Amino acid sequence: MSIIVNEERRIFLLQTLHNSYAFGVDDQGLLRHLYWGNKIDAIDDFEMPVLAEVSTNDPVFEITREEFPVYGRLRYKEHCLKVTFADGCREVDYVYENYKIENHKDYDELIITLKDSHYDLYITLHYKVYGDFDLMERSVTLRNASQENMAIEQLQSAQFHIPYENLNFSNVHGHWGAEQQRFVQKVSYGKVVIENRRGISSHNHNPYFILDRDASETQGEVYFGALRRSGNFSGVVEQTPYGETLVQMGLNDHDFCYNLAPGEEFSAPAIICGYTNQGFETMSHHLHHFAQAFILDNDIRPVLYNSWEATGFGVTCEEQLKLAKKAKELGAELFVVDDGWFGERNGIKNGLGDWYVNKQKFPHGIDELIDEVKSLGMMFGIWVEPEMVNPPTKLYKEHPDWIYHFANRVSDTSREQYVLDMTREDVQQFVYQMLDDLLTSHDIDYIKWDANRPISQSNLDRSVWYKHIEAVYDIVKALKKKHPHVLFEACASGGGRIDYGILGIFDDFWTSDNTDACDRLTIQDSYSYIYPIKAMRAWVTDCPNFISNRDIPMRYRFHSAMMGTLGIGCNILKFSDEETKLAQEMIALYKEIRPIVQEGDFYRLENLSEDDYRSYEYLKDTKGLLFVFLSHTRIGHRPLTLKLRGLKKDTRYKLTYGDQEIHKSGAYLMERGIDLRLSGDYASELIFISEM
Ligand code: GLA
């Protein structure tokens, strides 16, 4: 049983395989947090601390570990909920009402209902316990049971209490072409805030938290949570003067207000959260396993070819046909036409919104290309940017009021485009219809959905930040219902829409426009902390790379991209015979190993060398892989001792690469490790592991 209740003392204990989470209701009806950490079975050992004021300047609400602090009374700390009622009262004062437990196939759920002591506002806290995954999913639902409106000004998905100071907080920073740059900083007094205010997406921070006590990959305490939401979010980490660290994550209250009408419900996004005392690797495995089990489908992802870096906007049917033939020859399984196929799209200035096939580029329609791709036995995919419109288009001329705007302000363009007001039903209908028509009238298997600018001049309703994303989710859900075989890739100027909100509705992420194979290793490494490898699209592209200007051998570029879901973005028509042969070999090899890459357990191996080696391991059933990279050989270069992880101690393994074959026990490989020496610049090796 994963949810244990002591009715008499009103204490709730949530149990996963290795962990416990406890909270209770005190004699004043306040929800008090009691524990989060390693497993404790005896619920009766938990005690409800008595509320005692230390001084008038340290009100009990400040010191008390509240499970769901609201704005109101003597509370000055960060709160999870702020509501303005119709009479102008801006404080919530809740009391505990009841609890309910629901048993579902995959999880048990504890539902706690609170109610405002005066107004008919109900707050339900949801705790879904995924015992075998050592994870919980928390969320909050508000219900207005009164006859009057209530203005929700802030709603966080959860508050977490971590009973330590001086923790390390990690997340990612970044920008276009430099997504997922992991940073770690000490938490001290004061607050650490990460957020997104852009409405669409952000490369700057990602909606998750990781707090650790000097953990490594394999040891140490780690508390973590990942929000299931795209667009605006905020996360606040605060080390309080009272000896603990608080974390809150949920909807960003910046310029936010949601009018909760009588009878209406409104939910904060769910947050998947967990604890481990086994370091970052276990954290990643829990999240990856959860994603595999409940978010991603079971299909192995196809090898993709995308023409963007080869042709830019200069798409022509003739050239696409040639690219498709060559892509097939190389072994690609999915051919994707990127930007430039529609409207008067010859650059960024025009086209978005006019989603008809461009006649000059495809004189006989796009089916000429699709039919050819299909006759070659490949799937067909296409790029769209449905939330946007360019000013010169027919769509904008006919519906200038469809963009986000204020009556007396000029709407800003960015990348020469406006954002459509997705909160309008007519706009939602237009976007849905356009995509439904596209998918109905053409044999399309894959949509790359892009979003290349943030929202500005939002509109009068301050719930736009929430509703815009809801509309995107709803449209894709409806499209998938009608066209269940179609895969959706989430892209926003590269990796701007990587989050657990979009995943599950979409199928994979475009990870970054930065396709430099070395830079990608950094991006992929950080990505892997939270997100599953299967959803990580990675392309091999031409050199010198358009961002880094760096020349990297094709073998290294392939190895880097084969660590995720492989794609090719080169101008393959320019490939030499030698490049064609190598690409064919690597793609064929990827097809053999991809179940291990896409669905195996992933390990970020420790670099025990002074040189900048990077090594990664994947394990699935009796097989595994090691990818090892060395970007530059340094003076005094020594071999790398590579200690493997996750093997069975007493099983014997065979490791093969090049003409080398090594037979060792799991214990030897994990404890002593093997010595490997790569040399030169951009050296890489792929080593195969199998149980003997
Ligand atoms: C964004 C995407 C790219 C490409 C272009 C097309 O930048 O990240 O992959 O699709 O748009 O305009």
Side-chain angles (χ1 to χ4, degrees):
M1 185 60 186
S2 62
I3 300 171
I4 305 170
V5 183
N6 181 325
E7 296 264 357
E8 195 194 330
R9 295 169 60 210
R10 299 201 293 187
I11 289 177
F12 304 96
L13 181 62
L14 312 180
Q15 303 285 67
T16 63
L17 215 49
H18 300 102
N19 305 324
S20 296
Y21 185 97
F23 64 97
V25 187
D26 71 10
D27 54 358
Q28 305 191 20
L30 277 184
L31 272 196
R32 312 268 297 273
H33 178 80
L34 297 175
Y35 179 72
W36 190 20
N38 291 318
K39 197 158 185 173
I40 300 173
D41 286 318
I43 188 169
D44 295 343
D45 288 349
F46 289 98
E47 286 167 28
M48 183 60 65
V50 178
L51 276 184
E53 191 169 86
V54 180
S55 93
T56 50
N57 282 306
D58 298 286
V60 283
F61 291 114
E62 292 290 281
I63 304 171
T64 308
R65 294 180 175 179
E66 285 194 87
E67 185 66 8
F68 191 73
V70 294
Y71 177 70
R73 303 187 65 179
L74 289 155
R75 289 187 185 91
Y76 306 95
K77 60 193 176 190
E78 291 290 326
H79 39 265
C80 290
L81 175 66
K82 179 161 188 263
V83 179
T84 298
F85 296 98
D87 61 4
C89 171
R90 301 194 308 280
E91 289 203 348
V92 174
D93 186 28
Y94 74 80
V95 280
Y96 170 78
E97 284 259 310
N98 56 42
Y99 80 91
K100 192 166 79 172
I101 294 173
E102 288 179 1
N103 301 112
H104 298 266
K105 186 171 137 272
D106 300 316
Y107 61 89
D108 295 326
E109 183 171 4
L110 173 65
I111 302 165
I112 303 283
T113 302
L114 314 172
K115 185 189 169 297
D116 188 89
S117 58
H118 176 80
Y119 301 94
D120 283 334
L121 169 66
Y122 288 86
I123 307 163
T124 33
L125 309 184
H126 300 261
Y127 298 80
K128 294 183 181 171
V129 185
Y130 292 88
D132 294 346
F133 293 79
D134 263 329
L135 293 173
M136 286 190 305
E137 193 182 83
R138 293 181 58 181
S139 63
V140 183
T141 303
L142 305 177
R143 183 163 63 87
N144 179 356
S146 77
Q147 298 304 314
E148 291 175 299
N149 288 335
M150 296 176 183
I152 317 295
E153 291 175 30
Q154 183 180 26
L155 182 58
Q156 297 285 50
S157 302
Q159 151 118 342
F160 299 96
H161 293 262
I162 299 173
Y164 300 114
E165 297 174 299
N166 298 314
L167 291 165
N168 305 309
F169 169 73
S170 48
N171 196 264
V172 288
H173 67 91
H175 50 78
W176 174 81
E179 295 86 342
Q180 302 284 330
Q181 305 296 305
R182 182 166 188 261
F183 69 85
V184 184
Q185 68 185 55
K186 266 276 171 246
V187 179
S188 184
Y189 294 106
K191 292 174 191 171
V192 179
V193 178
I194 54 160
E195 64 170 358
N196 174 30
R197 298 179 172 194
R198 293 161 184 250
I200 297 288
S201 61
S202 173
H203 304 68
N204 301 156
H205 295 299
N206 204 277
Y208 69 79
F209 70 86
I210 303 174
L211 284 156
D212 74 274
R213 294 183 75 205
D214 299 332
S216 67
E217 281 293 320
T218 51
Q219 286 175 359
E221 290 182 274
V222 186
Y223 296 82
F224 57 94
L227 199 67
R228 300 189 73 171
R229 185 76 195 170
S230 316
N232 286 13
F233 77 93
S234 80
V236 183
V237 180
E238 179 181 11
Q239 180 171 303
T240 73
Y242 306 108
E244 64 166 344
T245 302
L246 302 179
V247 189
Q248 297 190 330
M249 194 160 266
L251 299 173
N252 197 331
D253 63 348
H254 169 77
D255 192 42
F256 172 79
C257 187
Y258 187 95
N259 178 40
L260 194 67
E264 200 187 349
E265 285 195 353
F266 180 71
S267 294
I271 184 161
I272 316 162
C273 49
Y275 162 83
T276 174
N277 62 3
Q278 306 283 307
F280 300 118
E281 176 184 294
T282 300
M283 169 194 78
S284 301
H285 285 177
H286 288 337
L287 288 168
H288 292 184
H289 294 162
F290 181 85
Q292 301 250 21
F294 304 117
I295 300 180
L296 298 166
D297 62 34
N298 291 327
D299 297 338
I300 288 292
R301 297 284 183 269
V303 175
L304 155 167
Y305 176 78
N306 179 301
S307 61
W308 172 245
E309 283 200 31
T311 66
F313 295 100
V315 174
T316 63
C317 187
E318 207 187 332
E319 197 181 13
Q320 294 288 317
L321 288 169
K322 286 189 201 149
L323 285 166
K325 279 195 192 102
K326 183 75 185 186
K328 175 68 189 176
E329 189 190 326
L330 296 178
E333 298 157 308
L334 163 64
F335 183 83
V336 183
V337 178
D338 209 280
D339 200 350
W341 60 270
F342 54 92
E344 302 311 307
R345 186 80 168 162
N346 295 310
I348 57 172
K349 288 189 165 54
N350 200 349
L352 296 176
D354 289 346
W355 296 105
Y356 57 84
V357 178
N358 182 295
K359 271 254 167 321
Q360 280 84 48
K361 298 181 182 183
F362 293 92
H364 310 292
I366 200 152
D367 281 343
E368 186 182 351
L369 174 63
I370 299 178
D371 292 347
E372 175 67 13
V373 167
K374 295 283 155 144
S375 74
L376 288 166
M378 287 191 289
M379 294 156 75
F380 182 79
I382 202 159
W383 180 97
V384 288
E385 195 176 356
E387 296 152 82
M388 308 289 165
V389 63
N390 287 119
T393 52
K394 188 163 159 280
L395 179 72
Y396 180 67
K397 286 189 185 124
E398 281 172 11
H399 301 285
D401 55 331
W402 276 15
I403 64 164
Y404 286 122
H405 66 282
F406 289 122
N408 299 311
R409 297 276 179 242
V410 173
S411 286
D412 284 312
T413 53
S414 173
R415 214 195 194 215
E416 307 270 350
Q417 64 200 49
Y418 296 124
V419 189
L420 289 175
D421 183 345
M422 297 291 292
T423 67
R424 291 175 63 123
E425 270 180 34
D426 45 8
V427 173
Q428 292 166 10
Q429 193 50 36
F430 165 80
V431 171
Y432 172 80
Q433 207 52 59
M434 175 279 279
L435 286 161
D436 183 36
D437 289 349
L438 194 67
L439 293 174
T440 307
S441 46
H442 305 287
D443 192 359
I444 293 172
D445 308 283
Y446 193 87
I447 293 279
K448 176 176 174 185
W449 179 306
D450 209 338
N452 278 305
R453 61 153 292 180
I455 294 175
S456 62
Q457 289 81 36
S458 50
N459 68 20
L460 296 179
D461 181 352
R462 288 193 283 137
S463 65
V464 53
W465 308 108
Y466 175 83
K467 287 183 176 159
H468 183 103
I469 294 296
E470 277 305 287
V472 171
Y473 288 175
D474 288 347
I475 289 169
V476 177
K477 278 187 207 158
L479 288 167
K480 284 201 133 187
K481 206 165 173 198
K482 187 150 176 219
H483 309 274
H485 72 286
V486 179
L487 291 169
F488 284 76
E489 174 181 330
C491 171
S493 300
R497 254 185 187 167
I498 295 178
D499 56 68
Y500 271 118
I502 215 99
L503 199 65
I505 296 171
F506 287 61
D507 300 276
D508 46 29
F509 302 122
W510 178 220
T511 319
S512 175
D513 279 349
N514 187 337
T515 50
D516 174 279
C518 261
D519 288 350
R520 263 308 178 96
L521 292 181
T522 308
I523 293 170
Q524 295 176 176
D525 187 297
S526 308
Y527 166 101
S528 74
Y529 276 75
I530 300 291
Y531 298 106
I533 302 296
K534 193 185 201 173
M536 183 176 81
R537 280 265 163 216
W539 300 354
V540 175
T541 56
D542 288 328
C543 275
N545 182 272
F546 83 104
I547 292 183
S548 68
N549 210 17
R550 198 161 24 203
D551 264 311
I552 295 180
M554 192 185 248
R555 195 162 173 276
Y556 186 107
R557 278 182 275 149
F558 261 101
H559 281 158
S560 170
M562 284 158 79
M563 283 185 54
T565 294
L566 179 66
I568 314 295
C570 301
N571 190 344
I572 47 181
L573 298 178
K574 292 198 175 148
F575 269 10
S576 64
D577 290 349
E578 205 185 321
E579 285 170 327
T580 299
K581 191 164 166 281
L582 181 58
Q584 282 170 331
E585 281 169 16
M586 295 305 245
I587 293 171
L589 175 60
Y590 180 74
K591 288 179 184 167
E592 275 172 40
I593 63 171
R594 67 181 156 184
I596 310 173
V597 173
Q598 296 182 11
E599 295 181 340
D601 283 341
F602 179 71
Y603 298 83
R604 295 170 291 265
L605 297 187
E606 197 182 348
N607 179 17
L608 295 170
S609 152
E610 286 294 300
D611 295 273
D612 49 1
Y613 276 102
R614 281 175 180 275
S615 33
Y616 302 96
E617 180 184 334
Y618 298 73
L619 287 179
K620 186 173 194 290
D621 306 325
T622 58
K623 298 219 176 307
L625 301 163
L626 284 169
F627 286 90
V628 186
F629 300 89
L630 176 70
S631 53
H632 302 290
T633 296
R634 285 211 205 111
I635 194 163
H637 178 80
R638 286 187 291 274
L640 165 75
T641 300
L642 200 57
K643 293 192 185 189
L644 276 58
R645 294 213 296 272
L647 303 179
K648 294 172 204 144
K649 254 187 0 311
D650 299 325
T651 300
R652 293 203 66 80
Y653 290 87
K654 181 169 78 176
L655 266 55
T656 44
Y657 62 101
D659 52 12
Q660 304 275 328
E661 186 165 317
I662 299 171
H663 296 186
K664 301 282 179 203
S665 67
Y668 183 94
L669 291 169
M670 293 191 291
E671 301 303 333
R672 163 60 183 84
I674 55 162
D675 293 335
L676 184 77
R677 190 189 177 101
L678 300 185
S679 59
D681 288 347
Y682 307 117
S684 60
E685 197 58 75
L686 172 53
I687 302 174
F688 304 90
I689 306 170
S690 57
E691 284 184 19
M692 292 179 74

